[in-house]
Each structure stands twice: as C-alpha cells, then as structure tokens.
Amino acid sequence: MSPEPDEQLIHVDGHQFKLKRLDKVLYPEAGTTKAEVLDYYARIAPVLLPQLADRPVTRIRWPDGTDSKPFFEKNTPAYAPDWLRTVTLPTPGSSRNRETLVFPVLRQTADLIWMVNLAALELHVPQWTVGPRGAVRNPSRLVIDLDPGPPAGLAECAEAAHLIKDRLAEDGLAAVPVTSGSKGLQLYVPLDGSQSADVVNGYAKRLAESLAKSHPRLMVSNMTKALRDGKVLLDWSQNNPAKTTICPYSLRGRARPWVAAPRTWQELAAPGLSQLDSAEVLRRVETEGDLAAGLLSGTARLPV
C-alpha cells in the first residue's frame, strides 16, 4: 500500500516508518513546518544524541503548533516501535498516582525522528543516566537554571552567569553555558558521577543561596514569585532527581524555533546576547563544532 499524499515512508538506521503531516506549520510566527523541524533534528542528531544518551526523555508535544496548548508526555506510547529502547522507572508523587512509568531512551537518529514526528518539539532529561539494565546512576552533571523575572532579561542572566562562573572556579569547577531558547540560560558542570543526587542538589542549593546573599540586587535563590521581579532566579532545584531540564540542542516550543544552544563565555560577555534559532545553531555546529562536548566526559567532584 502506498503512503497517503501527506505521508512519507522513510528508512533510517535500518528501520522503516512513516512521517505524517509534513506540511503542518508548527511555528506559525516563523512559518516553520513539521518537515523543517524534522530536518533540524536529523541534522543536529550527531551532537544531540550524545546529550540524550542513557537519559529517560520527557517530551512536550505541540501537535497543533506552538500557538496552541501543548501537553507533557513521559510514558512511552503504546504504539511505539519495538526497536525503541524503554526503561521502567519509579515515579513517586506522580500526578496520576502511577508507581512507575515506561520512559523512552533515544539512542539513534531513527528514535529521534520517530519521536519528533509526534510533534515532540521539546526534549527534557534528568541530570542522571540509567545503566544497561535500567539502574539509575548518580548525576553526571550539575545544572543551575537562570530564570529572569521581568524586566530582567538575558543580559542580566549573562551578568549573573559570570559571577557564578567565578564562584565555581574557586571550587575548581568549570561550567558550560547554554542559552535556553526561552527566556534565560543554564549553566552545566560535568561531574565524574561518583556523588549522589543529594550531594549534587545540596551543593547547588548552597551555591545559589550564597550568591543570592552576596548579590541581592541581581540574584535570588528563593522560588517565591513576589521576590523575583527584576532579578535572576538561580533555580538549583533542577538537580532534584525527580526533575528534568531542557536538553542542549533541543528545540523549544516558543513563537519561533529557538534552541537550547551551547554558547561560549566570550559570547556571554558581549553586548546584544540573544537566543538562537535552529538555522543559526546548525551553522554554528558546522563551523565551530560541538560546544557542549565537554559535558560528555566529566571528571569533577563537588566539595562537600
């Protein structure tokens, strides 16, 4: 049976499946179609897949485009192909009272394209990985999410990021900055995986509280919204093992196809810092390589 006019049968990594509604506009403001979204993910796969490796993926899906209401998806769809790796994990406090969920783990381009074909624009992952039998490992990175409260913006996040960078350096730690593709940015510290999530979360909390105390006009570590106007929230809680963060190189479901894009510290120091879209990120990877490669081989331990 031949595919319908709005379908395309493809072969990727030895697997055959259909792509549907390729002309559907998923980013109305930019006019970006589903075909263009799939093209981005196929081309960025060589640097995105290592960031996703061995991490259960939570997706945010926009089947009707980013001007419509999205939905979160953690569980693997029942109709997923049998070649997609899954891992069953406990989900304490689940909103649907489920004790466990079956998460997908994306290993190859076929996995990625199959998932994005469901309009899964955003891919969120924890800071820990799973082993070959699904055992949860210690975190392989620490993350601080810098979230600006209006009228603060990306410039204030960059200022705060440099102060965090200097503070981390006192502990012998180096961070990789990633503009979030939304409002702010994340700072990642690659770790050697020898310390528990409690240790990592505790260090991140102390770091955020110390910096907020030292720079109260710029930063806040308390999540209370009333305290955040004009300041940058240092969200240390992303290191809680139950939480996830947007994966570097993932698209965002915003007005335009912005990306969680790894950046250089020189860029963060320059005026006019802005979020990057998918076309810009593809060009940067081609000319500059993978700026997030340092996250894949952490050797650092946190002081305790």
Side-chain angles (χ1 to χ4, degrees):
M1 180 181 296
S2 61
E4 296 296 322
D6 64 343
E7 297 179 351
Q8 180 178 331
L9 190 65
I10 66 168
H11 296 79
V12 184
D13 297 326
H15 305 294
Q16 175 179 288
F17 54 98
K18 291 179 181 178
L19 304 180
K20 298 184 177 182
R21 302 181 70 189
L22 293 174
D23 60 351
K24 172 71 177 179
V25 175
L26 293 182
Y27 290 89
E29 183 175 303
T32 305
T33 65
K34 186 177 181 181
E36 291 171 310
V37 167
L38 288 163
D39 178 70
Y40 168 75
Y41 273 112
R43 294 169 62 189
I44 206 67
V47 293
L48 170 59
L49 286 170
Q51 300 294 335
L52 292 169
D54 298 326
R55 298 182 194 273
V57 181
T58 296
R59 294 84 63 207
I60 308 183
R61 294 172 56 182
W62 278 266
D64 296 314
T66 59
D67 61 351
S68 65
K69 188 175 181 179
F71 65 94
F72 281 79
E73 186 173 56
K74 295 184 178 182
N75 220 26
T76 305
Y79 48 85
D82 57 10
W83 40 263
L84 181 70
R85 184 191 177 193
T86 60
V87 59
T88 301
L89 295 169
T91 52
S94 167
S95 61
R96 298 187 180 183
N97 296 317
R98 294 176 175 174
E99 293 184 2
T100 62
L101 286 175
V102 181
F103 288 82
V105 179
L106 307 185
R107 298 178 293 175
Q108 56 187 340
T109 302
D111 302 345
L112 182 61
I113 298 305
W114 186 87
M115 193 63 72
V116 174
N117 187 49
L118 304 178
L121 300 180
E122 292 193 6
L123 308 174
H124 293 246
V125 292
Q127 309 316 313
W128 44 267
T129 61
V130 294
R133 296 181 179 84
V136 174
R137 293 167 167 163
N138 287 333
S140 60
R141 61 194 188 195
L142 171 150
V143 64
I144 299 291
D145 186 22
L146 282 68
D147 185 10
L154 198 52
E156 286 76 15
C157 287
E159 181 183 354
H162 276 92
L163 292 169
I164 299 169
K165 174 177 178 284
D166 293 342
R167 177 63 184 82
L168 288 169
E170 295 176 11
D171 288 334
L173 303 171
V176 175
V178 175
T179 46
S180 69
S182 181
K183 297 180 296 181
L185 60 87
Q186 289 95 29
L187 295 181
Y188 290 96
V189 177
L191 303 174
D192 68 1
S194 65
Q195 294 169 297
S196 70
D198 286 343
V199 170
V200 176
N201 199 49
Y203 175 86
K205 181 181 180 182
R206 294 192 300 274
L207 177 76
E209 291 175 343
S210 173
L211 284 159
K213 184 176 180 180
S214 300
H215 306 278
R217 294 184 180 181
L218 177 63
M219 293 181 265
V220 61
S221 63
N222 190 307
M223 310 268 176
T224 304
K225 287 190 175 181
L227 303 176
R228 294 166 55 181
D229 290 351
K231 298 182 181 181
V232 177
L233 170 65
L234 306 186
D235 186 356
W236 51 268
S237 73
Q238 299 288 316
N239 298 282
N240 183 310
K243 291 195 174 186
T244 61
T245 308
I246 190 72
C247 186
Y249 294 115
S250 172
L251 284 169
R252 302 305 301 265
R254 310 295 291 184
R256 305 186 70 82
W258 289 313
V259 174
R263 309 299 288 265
T264 67
W265 285 105
Q266 291 78 9
E267 286 181 287
L268 263 63
L273 181 68
S274 63
Q275 304 290 343
L276 299 177
D277 67 21
S278 55
E280 292 171 311
V281 170
L282 286 170
R283 286 195 297 268
R284 286 164 60 89
V285 170
E286 184 176 348
T287 59
E288 301 177 34
D290 181 8
L291 295 179
L295 294 180
L296 306 176
S297 54
T299 59
R301 279 179 55 86
L302 302 174
V304 293

